[in-house]
Amino acid sequence: MESLELNQFWEQIKGELIKALPENALPWVYPLEISGYDKGVVTVVTGQLMGRDLLRKNHYRQIVEVLKQVTGDEKSDIVIIYDATAAKTLKRENEKLQKKVATAVMKEQAMENLSYMQSASNLNLKYKFENFVVGENNKFAHAVAMAVAKAPAQKYNPLFIYGNSGLGKTHLMQAIGHYTLFNNPKLKVKYTKTEDYINDFISNSRNSKDQVENMSKFNRKYTNIDIILIDDIQFIEGKKKTMDQMQHTFDSLYNKGKQIVITSDRLPKDIPNLTAALDSRFAMGLMVELVAPDENTRFEIIKKLAQGNDLVFEENALRYIAKNYTKNVRELEGAFNKVCAFAEITEQSLSLKLAKEVLKCEEKANEIDIERIAQVTAQYYDVDLDDLKGSARSQKISIARHIAVYLAREITEKSFASIAEFFNKKHTTIMFAYEKIKKEIVTNKDFSIATREIKQALKVM
Ligand code: ADP
Ligand code: MG
């Protein structure tokens, strides 16, 4: 018989064997493979030593009966041979199969966990410790966050993470949530943006016949949990009633031994009108600052993204991006994503050449505007550009700096944060400078003349 025929012949027999033999014998029957058929004798091989012995010992007669029926040959017989090579292949296949099953199960469990996390706790799947690159800039904050995640409410409570926008505060905070949930899915974790907390409070505390019921629902929502993650607390500024409510939420959680994690783009003392009660509570635990990553960390951050997306990239392309986006990881990622998109659309690999082509114009548009405004303003007031960026407080320099800030905000539509970055000042300082000039320009003739002439020099009028 040709081997194809032989195999078909064996498949037919196997089908009958499966019907005829008891179920506990089947795991030994499936792996049998035919190796020959001669004068009524079927020779099969198996990689299972135990299979050979059990089939021989317990099912030999039944098997021969089946053979007789299929072949119609009264002299039918079977020889079962153990084959070590087949055994190895079988073992490998088995391992592969087991791995597949294990991964599938793990995936399923992970998905269950994750979907639970997402719905109940409001967490973003991207923001885990695994995806957080640790560098000099954030290793202390990272270590503290990890300590909190491993032992919630035992060490640093509250944990107050602060730092400029785009440096990983939300990421690190949510990583704590993911970590604790993964290790103990029974814990109740709640991530809330301060804005959402404020809106939730406002709508529930509104005068209505259900006000009492609404407020107790609100309280349950924010205090019947084990870990609360409150993001961007600076938005509470000026909201006195919400602050009092937050104090209530805080105390209730703290007294029950629950973990509180807060982020802010500045220190509590720089949040306008923060109540003394909240100020002192925020300072009770530990405050850690996130600062901008160094070049190597920036490189590692985008490299991780590239690797995560299975991208083909030139290392120096990533170096180039890392070199040019220094202050904000969100912008760094944005630049990287932009180059990726171009690479994909134009079907090129992510090369240095491409990165330069795509980002060069952006750099100019982004950075130079504030710089030009500051330069021209410095010239106008006859002071040094460096002084505007420095801490000198002479009247002439202060005025020049305030005017430059005002114009930067008016002309470029840049955020206060990025203007603050340029002038090496605090976000709030810059905001106050802007508001001051905006108010005074109405009555102060010198200011209105100065801004008009500087705008003319900048050719924006
Ligand atoms: P913040 O809350 O401080 O404004 P985010 O946590 O939103 O900043 O971070 C902005 C982006 O940068 C996010 O996509 C985040 O994943 C990423 N990011 C920030 N720091 C890191 C880091 N150390 N490793 C990896 N990604 C980071
Ligand atoms: Mg954030």
Side-chain angles (χ1 to χ4, degrees), residues 22 32 50 86 119 131 147 172 214 220 232 271 274 287 319 367 369 390 394 424:
L32 295 176
M50 197 185 197
S119 59
N131 303 326
L172 203 51
N214 287 345
R220 276 202 300 280
D232 286 320
I271 300 175
L274 187 71
M287 297 204 179
R319 290 254 169 242
E367 306 288 345
D369 282 3
S394 81
N424 299 314

Side-chain angles (χ1 to χ4, degrees), residues 126-127 131-135 137-138 163-172 231-232 263 290 293 297 301 304-305 328-331 333:
K126 188 191 157 210
Y127 296 154
N131 303 326
F132 192 82
V133 175
V134 184
N137 64 309
N138 59 25
N164 283 342
S165 177
L167 296 183
K169 299 184 295 295
T170 300
H171 189 142
L172 203 51
D231 206 0
D232 286 320
T263 71
L290 275 179
T297 310
I301 290 173
K304 193 155 203 165
L305 288 179
N328 183 320
V329 183
R330 193 175 294 118
E331 280 171 19
E333 286 188 354

Side-chain angles (χ1 to χ4, degrees), residues 218-241:
F218 175 91
N219 278 325
R220 276 202 300 280
K221 181 169 166 190
Y222 290 97
T223 59
N224 192 11
I225 37 189
D226 299 298
I227 300 177
I228 194 164
L229 310 169
I230 305 173
D231 206 0
D232 286 320
I233 194 71
Q234 74 274 2
F235 288 124
I236 207 165
E237 91 168 66
K239 310 250 178 339
K240 175 77 173 61
K241 277 193 188 149

Side-chain angles (χ1 to χ4, degrees), residues 422-436:
F422 179 86
F423 286 100
N424 299 314
K425 299 288 175 306
K426 280 196 201 116
H427 184 269
T428 41
T429 313
I430 292 299
M431 251 163 59
F432 287 138
Y434 171 76
E435 295 297 340
K436 183 171 137 64

Side-chain angles (χ1 to χ4, degrees), residues 8-24:
Q8 281 171 350
F9 169 65
W10 175 241
E11 283 308 312
Q12 194 193 346
I13 298 172
K14 213 193 238 179
E16 294 304 318
L17 285 173
I18 289 168
K19 280 189 231 159
L21 295 182
E23 205 168 319
N24 64 5

